[in-house]
Amino acid sequence: MKLTADQIQDSNKKNLDSHNENFDFLSNRLTKNGYNVEAILSKLADFQVAIPSWALGAGGTRFGRFSYFGEPSTLEQKLEDVGLIHALTQTAGAVSLHIPWDVPQDYAAIKELASSLDIKFDAVNSNTFQDQKNAKESYKHGSLSNTSEAVRQQAIEHNLDVINIGNKLGSKSLTVWLADGSCFPGQSNFQTALQNTQDSLKEIYKGLPSDWKMLIEYKPFEPNFYSTVIQDWGTSYMLAKECGEKAFSLVDLGHHLPNSNIEQIVSILMLKGKLGGFHFNDSKYGDDDLTAGSIKPYSLFLIFNELVYGMQNNPQNPDLAWMIDASHNIKDPLEDLIQSLEAIQEAFAKALLVDQALLKAAQIDNDVVKCQEILQNAFRTDVRPLLEKARLNRGGCISPINAYRSLDLRNQLIQERGKNSVATGL
């Protein structure tokens, strides 16, 4: 399924007058306050967030999975779903594949389909947290950290295969997330596990093409609950430094202990030139993988404030890879992803309204009250008309959720694919 420009335009007609009125009001107010509205719109239009291929089917919990019907059961259908989201939002111009769930059968055809949908291939993701069919070795007791050289070698070769697959598609980065760790005291030697992981990552790093990056993710717990080998940003940073200049840390919002100061982590990594990517989601308790901005929108804004500052002041840090990494066991997956994109763009737009020079002066003067006012004035601004205008300028929808529903896209997907189709992945 592919949306036409006429369908997009028709969906915008009933909202256009209201949008124009709201945008003109906000634009005039921002202009009077010294903001370059066109520059902000340009940044919003250029900001693209990758959709993970595994998020297009229904999510689940440890206790069950509830299908939303019409799920994409092939890689081609996953790309079509990303194409629908991108056509509506004009913010999802990339897809991130997980191997071995999404190995193309025909690379030329997959690239042609993606191009026709205006979609690029973002980071490719390896999977050594599950045993694959017909695999000789098991990852029950770890992969890159395993005490068995044979297991480690199998995991290394898998990552090298993933790089090869991504290279054929035009991807430029590999994301490595490990489930390696232990559930009980004494089960694992911490130093041995870390050394094995470091040595294994170096072997994978040797296989990176010259223009690629390796993104090393971290997580404090789950699926192991006593220790995780790459448990925090410091360990990820250390491993990236050991590997070389093409290795970076990747921050997933759900991969932190409750109340962690993620914005500080982001700031430090950018200062050191080692923040490579970002995974968006939200949480109440742990790695809940909820819709971005649904629980802690102010925290998301504060994180973006540091990201914007870093992008303006840390040329030593590379361009970042942005991706949503969420699950949605009770929502239509496409609607959930659209909501996340809206929340991400909203936090970004508000961060662009922070007067960094004024904030810096207030910080130097130790004017704590003024610092808070500067941040909260930006956060309290209703920037949705800016997001709407940025989408319109690229040919997208004023209201993607309303368009998705008025076009009855989920039922059309069900009619095409049936109620029994199941997306590959978790």
Side-chain angles (χ1 to χ4, degrees):
M1 183 191 301
K2 186 176 181 180
L3 293 179
T4 66
D6 288 341
Q7 287 176 299
I8 299 292
Q9 290 176 6
D10 288 342
S11 73
N12 286 332
K13 287 180 180 178
K14 58 185 176 182
N15 298 314
L16 193 56
D17 289 342
S18 176
H19 159 73
N20 287 333
E21 180 180 345
N22 292 333
F23 176 76
D24 288 344
F25 176 80
L26 177 60
S27 178
N28 290 334
R29 193 180 76 176
L30 292 176
T31 300
K32 287 179 181 179
N33 289 328
Y35 292 98
N36 186 332
V37 174
E38 287 302 318
I40 293 173
L41 290 174
S42 179
K43 289 180 180 179
L44 290 172
D46 290 342
F47 191 84
Q48 299 295 308
V49 182
I51 301 297
S53 61
W54 61 93
L56 297 162
T61 69
R62 293 187 185 87
F63 304 104
R65 182 182 183 276
F66 309 96
S67 177
Y68 222 87
F69 308 129
E71 294 184 29
S73 57
T74 66
L75 177 54
E76 289 80 2
Q77 290 177 349
K78 290 180 180 182
L79 291 178
E80 289 172 0
D81 281 7
V82 177
L84 290 177
I85 297 172
H86 187 45
L88 294 168
T89 67
Q90 288 301 308
T91 311
V95 62
S96 185
L97 301 187
H98 214 303
I99 310 301
W101 301 335
D102 302 306
V103 179
Q105 299 300 310
D106 185 333
Y107 285 88
I110 288 296
K111 290 175 70 175
E112 183 177 349
L113 175 60
S115 178
S116 72
L117 298 170
D118 192 27
I119 295 169
K120 298 179 180 179
F121 289 94
D122 195 66
V124 282
N125 301 260
S126 59
N127 181 338
T128 61
F129 54 85
Q130 293 174 322
D131 285 347
Q132 304 303 325
K133 186 177 181 181
N134 300 322
K136 184 177 180 180
E137 307 293 339
S138 173
Y139 298 134
K140 180 178 180 179
H141 297 298
S143 59
L144 298 182
S145 71
N146 204 294
T147 55
S148 166
E149 183 178 354
V151 175
R152 297 197 303 273
Q153 190 58 42
Q154 177 179 281
I156 291 168
E157 290 173 0
H158 167 69
N159 277 274
L160 295 175
D161 287 342
V162 172
I163 293 171
N164 183 49
I165 291 168
N167 204 33
K168 292 179 181 178
L169 293 170
S171 175
K172 296 296 181 183
S173 54
L174 167 74
T175 298
V176 178
W177 174 70
L178 301 181
D180 293 25
S182 62
C183 285
F184 300 97
Q187 175 185 340
S188 174
N189 182 283
F190 299 139
Q191 294 185 14
T192 300
L194 183 62
Q195 187 64 55
N196 285 344
T197 300
Q198 179 176 291
D199 294 343
S200 299
L201 286 172
K202 285 183 176 180
E203 289 300 312
I204 297 168
Y205 185 86
K206 291 177 183 177
L208 285 178
S210 60
D211 57 348
W212 270 53
K213 302 171 188 172
M214 182 164 71
L215 309 178
I216 303 174
E217 203 167 348
Y218 59 90
K219 189 175 184 180
F221 69 95
E222 195 185 42
N224 289 286
F225 290 92
Y226 177 66
S227 71
T228 304
V229 176
I230 309 179
Q231 81 276 23
D232 56 24
W233 70 272
T235 306
S236 170
Y237 171 78
M238 176 181 62
L239 291 169
K241 287 279 287 184
E242 288 286 338
C243 285
E245 61 182 11
K246 295 184 295 184
F248 302 88
S249 293
L250 184 143
V251 172
D252 184 306
L253 290 184
H255 289 192
H256 301 84
L257 296 174
N259 300 317
S260 293
N261 193 327
I262 303 174
E263 53 266 39
Q264 184 178 21
I265 295 170
V266 166
S267 178
I268 294 172
L269 285 172
M270 294 191 83
L271 176 65
K272 297 299 182 180
K274 278 296 183 181
L275 180 62
F278 213 88
H279 285 182
F280 295 103
N281 48 54
D282 211 336
S283 62
K284 180 67 175 177
Y285 300 105
D287 188 22
D288 303 343
D289 271 355
L290 300 178
T291 315
S294 62
I295 305 293
K296 296 173 282 194
Y298 189 57
S299 293
L300 183 59
F301 160 74
L302 293 177
I303 291 166
F304 260 104
N305 179 57
E306 298 302 331
L307 288 167
V308 168
Y309 179 87
M311 287 187 284
Q312 294 173 351
N313 294 278
N314 299 135
Q316 68 274 25
N317 202 80
D319 292 338
L320 299 176
W322 313 100
M323 193 192 83
I324 295 171
D325 191 0
S327 182
H328 21 69
N329 58 315
I330 59 172
K331 281 184 181 178
D332 180 325
L334 302 193
E335 289 187 336
D336 181 87
L337 290 164
I338 290 170
Q339 286 183 315
S340 281
L341 289 168
E342 180 85 0
I344 292 164
Q345 284 276 40
E346 187 174 344
F348 181 38
K350 290 179 176 181
L352 291 172
L353 297 183
V354 175
D355 188 326
Q356 295 293 343
L358 192 64
L359 179 60
K360 188 75 171 180
Q363 291 168 343
I364 292 172
D365 290 341
N366 294 312
D367 191 338
V368 182
V369 171
K370 190 172 184 180
C371 291
Q372 179 177 323
E373 288 299 302
I374 292 169
L375 289 177
Q376 294 195 345
N377 284 340
F379 178 71
R380 291 167 179 155
T381 304
D382 185 356
V383 296
R384 287 176 294 178
L386 294 176
L387 274 58
E388 294 170 357
K389 177 61 75 175
R391 287 194 291 266
L392 274 174
N393 289 348
R394 286 182 55 102
C397 290
I398 294 174
S399 176
I401 285 288
N402 288 338
Y404 179 83
R405 292 192 168 191
S406 65
L407 292 168
D408 201 23
L409 295 183
R410 176 52 60 182
N411 280 329
Q412 291 188 52
L413 291 173
I414 292 173
Q415 290 172 15
E416 285 185 10
R417 303 168 183 172
K419 291 189 174 183
N420 296 319
S421 61
V422 178
T424 55
L426 291 175

